[in-house]
Amino acid sequence: MFFRVMDTSRLPDLVRGLSRDHEVIGPVAKEERFVFAAIDDPADLRLDYDTTLLPPKKLFFPPEDQMMRFRVADNEVLDDEVFAAPRVLLGLHPCDINALLLMDNIFLKDYVDPYYKARRDTTLVVGISCVPTEDCFCNSLGTDEAHWGFDIFLTDLGDRYFVSVRSVKGAELLDDFVETREITDADTAAFQRVTRERKDKFTQDVDTSQLPLLLDAKFDSPVWDELGERCLSCGACSMVCPTCYCFNVRDDLAPDQKTGTRTRLWDSCQFSEFAAVAHGQNFRESRASRVKYRYYHKQWGYLSKFERVLCVGCGRCSTACAADITPREVIAALAKGGVE
Amino acid sequence: MTVANMYKEKGSNPYRPWPARITSIIDLTENERLFELRIIDESVREGFQFESGPFVELSIFGVGEAPISISSAPSKQGFIELCVRNAGDVTGALHGKKCGDIVGVRGPFGRGFPFQEMKGHDVLLVAGGLGIAPLKSLINHIHDDRHDFGNVSILYGARDPSEILFRYQFDMWKHRDDFDLILTVDEADETWGDEVGRVTALFDMIDIDPDNTYGAICGPPVMYRFVIDEMRKKEMDVDKIYMSFERRMKCGIGKCGHCGVGHQYACIDGPVFNYWEAMNLQEAI
Ligand SMILES: Cc1cc2nc3c(=O)[nH]c(=O)nc-3n(C[C@H](O)[C@H](O)[C@H](O)COP(=O)(O)OP(=O)(O)OC[C@H]3O[C@@H](n4cnc5c(N)ncnc54)[C@H](O)[C@@H]3O)c2cc1C
Ligand code: SF4
Ligand code: SF4
Ligand code: FES
């Protein structure tokens, strides 16, 4: 990796430059919170955001994603192309960059998902350093820093950005659109200091050691029943999660009933019919079993295949849960054997 | 090129169904029919290779998709057979189709029975109800290479005689030495000359060489535990008892998350698992 330094005042140059050939998407304010949206005016960009309501997965795996158009009579696909224009996703935090890498394992391996891939291939990622909020626990999961998964990463040093350049494309864009200079020892020292100070700001320490073992050893723990009683099965935790990828599929017919579309929609393992099959059988009928499954899959199912847990500690599910069910509490309760 | 390679190397869209024409429909029972399909695209048809046990996603545009086991043997070239119970939207729509109509299939998906590993051994197949559908593929496959196997026993139970599937074929097999076939029903009627009672009761009627026997089980979820108990009583090895799991499935390719069983996905890690694996999957049986 190589590094450059860029004055923070140059940011609008970069945004305008990127806008020439790309749609630029970044965090903007929406009421009290932030969302990822198209940036028309560089002044709208809020790189000081804490976190967004929905994670960037919505840009690669939209909540409603049309997969194909079909003709009924001969069961033929009319069109399954994805239109993916060149984009730059500007201002991703390390957790969200790492979350996309976890999603890649699902959508880009074995059976490659053409819809996700098309959007991933045409999107550049520019990361930005962050300040931990009270719900963040990425530091406990090793996802507080991004080493891969971006073209450029900006670490905010106050008056200037320490710019890490990961890809050829990133280097070219930087070269083309914005004035940067070589790093000095003082820049590197400032970078180290900022990184250290950020580490000290984390307030959470979630102990996930032995979690896969505990999930099995305490599979019948009453903790799950207690959590099941509180959970509302609303699925909000899945929707806001940058690493939840489950989906449902729906066919819609055009008014003439001759053609139609097949669409996939975000789904959640917390919904009661998620594991229901024919003849009235439901493999996870109780709320307790569904709350447990979400943790079981994230902390062990995914790990058993990809050697990483399916959580980046972004804290969105904690914020979204009306029943105050948080990974920190669930994991601690399981280790202890009871909810506080 | 095999279909698996079309997906994995050529990057064919795994969500795009291959159009297939219905070439024959046989009524098996009131609710179950055997559909024979011929994939229209020649290169796909020829590349459609599998071992016994995988499934296809049956796709009827405007209605949806359902996972259905392939019932025919891999050796049956050019056609696939699906034995389908009318259980809801997609299977109901299929039952409404006529010969010559076109439907879609995706697949073959999933891990089947370890056919090559089973060679040289005895095989004990136990089916309950519709569970005979994937086992039928294995039975026909064994039949193709019959000299490679030792004793092959089939225990098959259904609720009543009208629900015994493939009865015509079984009646034929009963008069040959290829398979030891024992049929049973919970409730007999005057047409029934075979056993009455649970499929597990049939274990008293067979001799098993435990060191040399592979088991293959498919049936309603409640059946597994009892059949496994019988096989374990006969001292069969935990990792030689294979079974196929039914779970909800939307994609068949390890993406939609619906088929989770324990820490695995039934669609890509199964649907066939051995008992050792199943014991390590929470809530599997
Ligand atoms: C690997 C595998 C192999 C299979 N092989 C065969 C086979 O060879 N032959 C065969 O006939 N079947 C087979 N099945 C079963 C078949 O896939 C199911 O019966 C499937 O549900 C049929 O789809 P459908 O659209 O017709 O039914 P659906 O319309 O999906 O409905 C079936 C029933 O499921 C329940 N259900 C569906 N959706 C919901 C929901 N959202 N909430 C609550 N309940 C719901 C309802 O009770 C409904 O009556 C197999 C399944 C698997 C996983
Ligand atoms: S489980 Fe919660 S904390 Fe972990 S990645 Fe998902 S939303 Fe973020
Ligand atoms: S957000 Fe909370 S209440 Fe809603 S499904 Fe998730 S855990 Fe349950
Ligand atoms: S059926 Fe979609 S993950 Fe298994």
Side-chain angles (χ1 to χ4, degrees), chain A residues 68 70 75 80 106 109 111 113 115 216 245-248 251 262 267 274 276-277 283 293 296-297 305, chain B residues 13-16 59 61-65 102-104 246-248 250 255-258 260 263 265 269 282:
Chain A
M68 55 194 89
F70 58 75
N75 218 72
D80 64 349
I106 296 297
K109 287 193 176 159
Y111 295 95
D113 187 293
Y115 311 104
D216 270 332
Y245 52 78
C246 291
F247 62 84
N248 210 341
D251 283 6
R262 179 163 284 173
D267 204 346
F274 188 80
V277 295
F283 289 98
Y293 184 71
Y296 196 84
H297 177 244
K305 287 204 170 74
Chain B
N13 183 349
Y15 300 103
R16 184 184 174 121
S59 196
F61 277 130
V63 185
E65 298 193 308
I102 298 173
V103 295
E246 179 180 336
R247 287 294 182 278
R248 194 179 181 88
K250 283 288 166 190
K255 317 264 185 249
C256 77
H258 278 271
H263 61 284
Y265 281 155
D269 302 313
Q282 295 286 2

Side-chain angles (χ1 to χ4, degrees), chain A residues 226-241:
Chain A
E226 293 167 41
L227 294 167
E229 269 170 39
R230 274 160 56 192
C231 172
L232 311 167
S233 297
C234 67
C237 47
S238 308
M239 306 301 143
V240 302
C241 176

Side-chain angles (χ1 to χ4, degrees), chain A residues 281-296:
Chain A
Q281 176 118 20
N282 187 340
F283 289 98
R284 280 187 292 278
E285 195 145 31
S286 74
R287 284 185 190 189
S289 68
R290 297 197 296 272
V291 173
K292 175 162 61 182
Y293 184 71
R294 184 162 185 272
Y295 283 86
Y296 196 84

